[in-house]
Amino acid sequence: MNIFINISHPAHVHLFKNTISVLRKRGHKIIVGARNKEFCLQLLKAYDIDHIVLTNKEIGIAGLLKELLEQQFKIAKILRKNAIDIMLQMNGIFNAPVGKLFGIPTLAFSDTENDIWANRISFALTKHVFSPTCFANYGAGRWKNQILYPGYHELAYLSPKYLKYEVKPENKYLVRFVGWSAGHDIGEKSLTDYQKIEIVNLLKTRGEVYISSEAPLPDELEKFKYNIDPSKIHMFMAKCKMIVGESATMASEAACMGIPAVFISNTGRGYTTEQDNRFDLVKHYRLNQWKDIIQTLESWIKMDLFEEWQKKRRVMLMDKMEVTDWLVELIENYPESIDASRNGDFSRFAL
């Protein structure tokens, strides 16, 4: 098969990297289009994934619309030169319009309910949309072409198959601040500089603090900024006692590794809600819950939570599946594989 995969965020590299590796070893031709956002290109190079740069990251509604149009033209050129059988992308906003025009099946993998305008455009044009069973349809709408599966995107690279052992944490904490420039971030609010400083000052009383930040930091926090090779971030996370910050993806990654996580955002995700309410792996707070945030941090930094969280992780894994194995079969046997997924036949992918 000739397969086109569009990568528009660093998290998408992680989602597809193992699938790309397996499919290439099996003789399939994979063409990867990439958006120059944050560490996308660096990660693709680190994992030896050949790619074509499509666009640079734009910001704001006007910038994102401009980027959408640029991607359509560049993807169209790729499709004209290659007999593409199927197109894949997380969320699908860039693939869906041009895929519909060329009559090529497009598969979108979406776990972001609050990316409402992009979902409305891409889902209507996408052949099939795949979301975790925890996807909050009540907030994001229902889609006839949407198929639910028992997993998280993060389990495509952080399941026991890829994270083979439990890592005893060191006395350090990772704090993540985001830039709020993505389409689904429009209208969001960030932590204030005062709040960021208070979080770090609290954590540093118990261990070393490392900050990963898309946004500029207050001068007081610059010394805590940590520039790590993004391809090594998950092994660094695995050695942390706690993950704190504004990133839903990083909170979910922590949950998949059995690391306590405090996720701070006015809008949640279906997966972080499930990881909070059902598995007690993540605590999600909104900005107006500042007192609760501080109380949780004060409590958690005094305790050794490693064994408790690893037990919670194992309970969560019993409910989920091996996402990469499913992705490979889904793509390789498409379209016959659709019926099995639509009927909820995931038993052979059990973790």
Side-chain angles (χ1 to χ4, degrees), residues 91 93 115-126 139-141 143:
N91 300 335
I93 184 64
D115 201 2
I116 294 173
W117 72 270
N119 290 348
R120 286 176 178 171
I121 294 172
S122 62
F123 289 6
L125 300 174
T126 298
W143 311 90

Side-chain angles (χ1 to χ4, degrees), residues 141-188:
R142 292 193 175 275
W143 311 90
K144 292 181 180 179
N145 57 344
Q146 189 175 37
I147 297 171
L148 304 181
Y149 67 91
Y152 304 129
H153 287 175
E154 294 74 29
L155 286 175
Y157 52 96
L158 292 174
S159 74
K161 183 174 182 176
Y162 300 103
L163 190 71
K164 297 183 183 297
Y165 51 91
E166 297 172 356
V167 180
K168 186 69 175 177
E170 300 170 4
N171 194 33
K172 58 188 181 184
Y173 303 91
L174 179 63
V175 181
R176 172 66 170 172
F177 302 127
V178 303
W180 305 110
S181 60
H184 58 265
D185 292 330
I186 294 171
E188 265 282 10

Side-chain angles (χ1 to χ4, degrees), residues 30-249:
I30 312 294
I31 299 174
V32 175
R35 182 188 190 205
N36 187 10
K37 172 183 167 62
E38 221 178 324
F39 302 115
C40 272
L41 305 187
Q42 188 176 343
L43 281 170
L44 289 167
K45 291 177 182 177
Y47 298 128
D48 196 26
I49 299 174
D50 294 335
H51 56 277
I52 301 166
V53 179
L54 299 174
T55 54
N56 294 314
K57 169 195 168 186
E58 301 283 351
I59 59 173
I61 294 176
L64 292 171
L65 288 173
K66 174 178 176 287
E67 196 175 351
L68 176 62
L69 292 174
E70 288 180 1
Q71 286 237 4
Q72 302 311 289
F73 285 114
K74 291 187 177 180
I75 295 171
K77 289 182 179 179
I78 293 171
L79 299 183
R80 290 191 184 101
K81 292 180 180 179
N82 301 274
I84 300 297
D85 298 298
I86 194 170
M87 302 171 69
L88 293 83
Q89 187 181 8
M90 191 166 165
N91 300 335
I93 184 64
F94 294 125
N95 277 358
V98 68
K100 184 74 171 180
L101 179 65
F102 278 76
I104 299 172
T106 53
L107 308 187
F109 301 86
S110 176
D111 62 358
T112 308
E113 300 91 343
N114 63 322
D115 201 2
I116 294 173
W117 72 270
N119 290 348
R120 286 176 178 171
I121 294 172
S122 62
F123 289 6
L125 300 174
T126 298
K127 185 69 173 177
H128 300 288
V129 179
F130 299 90
S131 301
T133 49
C134 57
F135 190 87
N137 290 98
Y138 61 84
R142 292 193 175 275
W143 311 90
K144 292 181 180 179
N145 57 344
Q146 189 175 37
I147 297 171
L148 304 181
Y149 67 91
Y152 304 129
H153 287 175
E154 294 74 29
L155 286 175
Y157 52 96
L158 292 174
S159 74
K161 183 174 182 176
Y162 300 103
L163 190 71
K164 297 183 183 297
Y165 51 91
E166 297 172 356
V167 180
K168 186 69 175 177
E170 300 170 4
N171 194 33
K172 58 188 181 184
Y173 303 91
L174 179 63
V175 181
R176 172 66 170 172
F177 302 127
V178 303
W180 305 110
S181 60
H184 58 265
D185 292 330
I186 294 171
E188 265 282 10
K189 292 183 179 180
S190 69
L191 291 162
T192 66
D193 285 354
Y194 171 81
Q195 290 171 321
K196 293 177 181 180
I197 291 168
E198 187 170 357
I199 288 172
V200 173
N201 283 342
L202 177 58
L203 296 176
K204 75 178 185 180
T205 64
R206 292 284 178 164
E208 298 178 11
V209 179
Y210 299 84
I211 299 176
S212 168
S213 182
E214 294 175 332
L217 290 171
D219 291 342
E220 189 172 340
L221 298 184
E222 277 293 333
K223 63 184 177 182
F224 298 99
K225 190 171 184 178
Y226 186 55
N227 295 316
I228 187 173
D229 182 338
S231 66
K232 296 180 172 60
I233 184 62
H234 299 117
M235 286 312 302
F236 180 82
M237 289 175 64
K239 296 177 182 178
C240 291
K241 294 180 70 174
M242 192 191 314
I243 310 297
V244 183
E246 301 168 312
S247 169
T249 296

